[in-house]
Amino acid sequence: MAQTTIGMIGVGNMASAIAKAMHRADVNLDLWLANRTANKIKSLVQTLSAQHVLMDEIDTALLKGTDMIFIGVKPKDISALFANLGDSVNIDQAITWVSMASNVSLAELKALTPEHHHWIRIMPNTPVEVGEGFTSYCFSEGLPEETLSKFKQIMSASGTITHIEEALFDVASGMAGCSPAFIYQLIEAMSDAGVAYGLNRQQSIEMGAQAVKGAASMVLETGKHPAQLKDAVTSPGGTTIAGVNTLEAEGFRAAIIKGISASIEKTRELQK
């Protein structure tokens, strides 16, 4: 099988996390990375044995012979990127572009390239870096099945990859894209409680993080409803139900729902 060549334009936190996941899936993957600030990706280029491409060399170094090009620049910079590329994108090769820019629709992306080019839109979250991420994706009409399969294979080490209707991307952003930050807040709060009762900080963080990881694995691997698993832990008159009741009284679930809703509504606001 021919070696797969992947280009990446704009290598910030999310894009670098995806690049690391790609490398984990296939250490022989031929990666070409371009970033506006070259110094920021020097160590990443070395770690991944990638090729470093200067931004003004994209038209000659990436557009020819690259199987797939990931776009990691900020949403507001996408139009300028393709304006700078100009006629260099008008080549016979059917390039597949993968955009991780929030709030930029497939229709807007398709308008930037020739009709025979293909687009995949993704909404990943940062845990893709350690193979535990969640990536929503949708794609433009006419994307070859072979290309979609290659995309899934490339992203295979990043975690869960799920096709979602583009109309629901704002919901996916609030649920999967933003929620790791909420979980980090939960773990931090749990560790604060542990420290208050005498555990050291590292022990408290490990206990909280492993509790979250273990509980999540129980949901995913058993297929049981979270409420059913919660009930299995809460003995009548016991310690767990005392904590559950306190969290309910303090609005724990309502706060989570409101937090995710706020993220979704902000995403929708930015789309207008």
Side-chain angles (χ1 to χ4, degrees):
M1 181 181 293
Q3 186 180 40
T4 301
T5 302
I6 300 297
M8 186 170 286
I9 303 173
V11 193
N13 291 337
M14 186 64 74
S16 63
I18 291 175
K20 291 173 184 176
M22 290 178 187
H23 182 71
R24 186 168 53 251
D26 181 4
V27 294
N28 295 315
L29 192 68
D30 191 13
L31 274 171
W32 293 67
L33 308 180
N35 194 61
R36 184 176 60 181
T37 308
N39 289 336
K40 288 186 177 181
I41 63 168
K42 278 186 176 180
S43 62
L44 183 66
V45 167
Q46 294 176 347
T47 299
L48 304 184
S49 300
Q51 300 290 332
H52 184 199
V53 179
L54 297 178
M55 291 296 283
D56 58 5
E57 295 177 348
I58 290 173
D59 55 345
T60 56
L62 282 185
L63 296 186
K64 297 179 180 179
T66 304
D67 296 285
M68 198 171 288
I69 301 177
F70 283 69
I71 305 296
V73 301
K74 294 178 180 179
K76 66 181 181 64
D77 296 330
I78 287 184
S79 294
L81 169 66
F82 281 89
N84 289 335
L85 290 176
D87 291 336
S88 60
V89 298
N90 296 318
I91 58 178
D92 293 335
Q93 178 188 347
I95 297 176
T96 298
W97 305 86
V98 182
S99 170
M100 60 191 79
S102 60
N103 308 318
V104 183
S105 69
L106 285 173
E108 292 172 307
L109 295 168
K110 282 286 290 181
L112 298 172
T113 56
E115 187 62 31
H116 63 282
H117 287 205
H118 306 294
W119 279 91
I120 299 173
R121 185 182 169 195
I122 63 174
M123 177 54 65
N125 60 12
T126 52
V128 298
E129 181 174 341
V130 294
E132 295 292 346
F134 189 99
T135 300
S136 306
Y137 72 90
C138 61
F139 49 87
S140 58
E141 186 177 353
L143 181 73
E145 184 61 38
E146 180 182 356
T147 302
L148 180 58
S149 295
K150 180 177 291 186
F151 162 75
K152 291 179 180 179
Q153 181 181 4
I154 290 168
M155 295 291 291
S156 62
S158 69
T160 300
I161 310 168
T162 300
H163 177 257
I164 291 179
E165 295 179 20
E166 187 174 26
L168 294 174
F169 253 52
D170 51 4
V171 180
S173 175
M175 278 291 295
C178 301
S179 58
F182 310 152
I183 302 303
Y184 300 143
Q185 283 184 289
L186 170 62
I187 294 170
E188 182 183 26
M190 293 171 72
S191 74
D192 284 345
V195 170
Y197 279 88
L199 292 173
N200 67 47
R201 178 62 69 180
Q202 187 58 36
Q203 287 174 328
S204 295
I205 291 175
E206 288 178 357
M207 285 186 187
Q210 185 59 46
V212 170
K213 181 180 180 180
S217 295
M218 286 287 285
V219 172
L220 295 172
E221 294 182 20
T222 67
K224 294 181 179 180
H225 192 284
Q228 185 179 359
L229 292 170
K230 179 204 70 177
D231 288 347
V233 186
T234 51
S235 303
T239 56
T240 303
I241 192 62
V244 168
N245 286 342
T246 299
L247 289 174
E248 286 291 333
E250 295 295 323
F252 178 72
R253 286 199 294 179
I256 295 297
I257 293 170
K258 287 181 179 179
I260 292 175
S261 296
S263 293
I264 294 171
E265 293 301 326
K266 184 64 176 181
T267 301
R268 290 177 173 174
E269 176 187 325
L270 293 172
Q271 289 177 336
K272 296 178 180 178

